[in-house]
Amino acid sequence: MTGILLCCSSLVMEWATIKLRSPLTVVISLLISLGHLFVGLLSYGIQEWRKFQLIVSAPFFFILLTNWWLLESPRWLIVNNKLDDALKMLRKAAKINGKKDKSLTIEDLKSAMKKESSASQTHNTMLDLVRSPILHRRVLCMSFIGFSTGILFYGLSINLQDLGYNIKILQVILGFSSFLSRFGTIFIMNCFGRRTISIPCLLFAGLLTLVCAFLPQGILRATLTMVGINCLVICISCNSVYHTELLPTIVRNRCKGIILTIDRIGAMLAPLVSILKHYIPALPLIIFALLCIIASFVVFFLPETQNKPIPDTMQDLECGHSKEEGRAEGDSMVKVSQF
């Protein structure tokens, strides 16, 4: 699942223009919420867990076939010096969009992407994380944020039964409310930016979880827990765009792989931390909350990326998104594809 999310989000972001990056990425996360809602509804009709697992897993075999129709990212192809393949992808996309103009040539592509083509001659490895202080600082910050959101989200989700209500009903409510939260993220992200949303959402999620740690079972605790989870959902949806915009294309998937791995480590530790409730009932929630509150302050070390072009190379990253100087249209993809 992590690999699917990693590749899908990167592919969508690298194909999209600046204005469409946010809504398209959040639409993908909306489908995750629909999945949560579907799981809750499906569990009412299928009580035997083996049948339930088979029905939930079966669609992946059919979804696998759709990969044959996906187009590779031209950004990735260009920065990896595969101009012929990039040109083919752009022409296929133009054909899909009803454009039959064949005037785009390799020479046009090289001219428009001169900076990226020259940078593609440099071999990039994971050692760039050490060589570039900007990159490793961003990866460290995003990794801690991912770890904190992962451990809190799964820590709260796997303990929904502790709220004292029917777990299936809570799952349906969570799926529906998270769908609305993600849908709202499309609009607020374009108005307020990425960092401006991440900071308060992480802070509120941490504070609400801290309050819940000292509340007894009841409607108030259940409500605050759901609100806290939805704050995290908004933050995660926002970060799916934000983190992609912070990383250069040439090493994006590698860095996001590290970040998502640490995120999943947090998810794995969530049930282990939850065991501490047998000794001190409030301790797991206090740990989850403090990590999330600290993560909200870590976001201050990351720059805002709203309405800025995605960095393609390490040079773009070091120059601090100064690519506008050489991009009259604001984005390299717009220069080579008007479809």
Side-chain angles (χ1 to χ4, degrees):
M1 286 298 297
T2 301
I4 294 173
L5 293 174
L6 170 63
C7 295
C8 286
S9 62
S10 295
L11 193 59
V12 168
M13 291 285 285
E14 290 171 12
W15 266 108
T17 58
I18 291 177
K19 291 183 179 179
L20 294 177
R21 285 200 307 244
S22 301
L24 286 176
T25 305
V26 175
V27 164
I28 294 177
S29 67
L30 282 175
L31 301 178
I32 297 175
S33 294
L34 285 179
H36 285 163
L37 181 60
F38 178 72
V39 165
L41 295 173
L42 191 64
S43 63
Y44 275 99
I46 304 174
Q47 302 294 328
E48 211 280 312
W49 71 269
R50 291 183 179 86
K51 292 181 181 178
F52 181 81
Q53 187 75 14
L54 178 62
I55 291 175
V56 172
S57 303
F60 283 97
F61 296 99
F62 298 99
I63 295 172
L64 178 64
L65 300 177
T66 63
N67 287 331
W68 298 106
W69 285 273
L70 293 178
L71 302 180
E72 184 56 87
S73 165
R75 284 183 181 272
W76 183 87
L77 292 170
I78 290 169
V79 297
N80 284 279
N81 202 28
K82 299 181 180 181
L83 298 181
D84 290 330
D85 293 333
L87 187 60
K88 290 178 183 177
M89 294 299 106
L90 290 171
R91 284 177 174 170
K92 284 183 180 180
K95 184 178 180 180
I96 292 171
N97 289 334
K99 303 286 185 178
K100 297 183 179 180
D101 185 11
K102 303 243 177 158
S103 59
L104 183 62
T105 64
I106 288 288
E107 288 70 27
D108 297 329
L109 193 60
K110 288 181 179 179
S111 176
M113 305 293 293
K114 187 180 298 182
K115 185 177 180 181
E116 284 77 5
S117 296
S118 61
S120 66
Q121 306 302 322
T122 304
H123 182 64
N124 296 96
T125 66
M126 290 306 295
L127 291 177
D128 291 318
L129 281 173
V130 180
R131 298 191 189 106
S132 173
I134 296 177
L135 182 60
H136 75 241
R137 183 176 69 247
R138 290 186 182 184
V139 171
L140 285 175
C141 290
M142 290 185 283
S143 296
F144 182 78
I145 294 168
F147 178 84
S148 301
T149 54
I151 196 171
L152 179 55
F153 181 82
Y154 287 97
L156 294 178
S157 298
I158 64 178
N159 290 312
L160 289 178
Q161 67 272 12
D162 292 342
L163 298 178
Y165 295 90
N166 187 301
I167 183 64
K168 297 176 182 177
I169 295 177
L170 291 175
Q171 183 66 39
V172 172
I173 294 173
L174 177 59
F176 182 71
S177 60
S178 63
F179 177 86
L180 295 179
S181 298
R182 285 187 163 110
F183 184 76
T185 305
I186 298 175
F187 304 100
I188 63 175
M189 194 157 41
N190 286 329
C191 295
F192 301 106
R194 284 64 161 141
R195 188 170 68 169
T196 311
I197 295 173
S198 293
I199 294 171
C201 284
L202 285 169
L203 185 60
F204 289 152
L207 292 176
L208 290 173
T209 304
L210 192 60
V211 172
C212 289
F214 302 99
L215 291 177
Q217 285 186 349
I219 187 65
L220 179 59
R221 180 174 178 178
T223 302
L224 293 181
T225 299
M226 286 296 176
V227 173
I229 293 176
N230 279 279
C231 285
L232 274 181
V233 165
I234 294 174
C235 180
I236 292 170
S237 299
C238 180
N239 285 346
S240 64
V241 179
Y242 190 28
H243 291 180
T244 302
E245 293 175 336
L246 285 168
L247 300 168
T249 302
I250 195 71
V251 292
R252 180 173 297 123
N253 279 354
R254 297 174 188 174
C255 293
K256 288 185 71 175
I258 293 172
I259 295 166
L260 284 173
T261 298
I262 296 175
D263 180 299
R264 294 310 177 223
I265 290 174
M268 290 188 294
L269 289 177
L272 298 178
V273 175
S274 297
I275 295 175
L276 297 175
K277 67 184 178 183
H278 296 297
Y279 304 97
I280 304 177
L283 187 56
L285 291 182
I286 293 174
I287 294 173
F288 296 152
L290 291 179
L291 285 171
C292 203
I293 292 171
I294 294 171
S296 68
F297 291 99
V298 172
V299 181
F300 282 104
F301 294 97
L302 299 174
E304 179 58 72
T305 59
Q306 185 182 21
N307 296 325
K308 292 183 179 180
I310 296 178
D312 287 321
T313 64
M314 297 302 297
Q315 288 82 355
D316 294 334
L317 188 69
E318 299 295 336
C319 292
H321 290 284
S322 63
K323 298 194 292 183
E324 292 89 342
E325 299 174 1
R327 297 184 182 180
E329 302 295 333
D331 198 322
S332 62
M333 289 305 301
V334 178
K335 294 182 68 175
V336 299
S337 57
Q338 298 297 331
F339 44 83

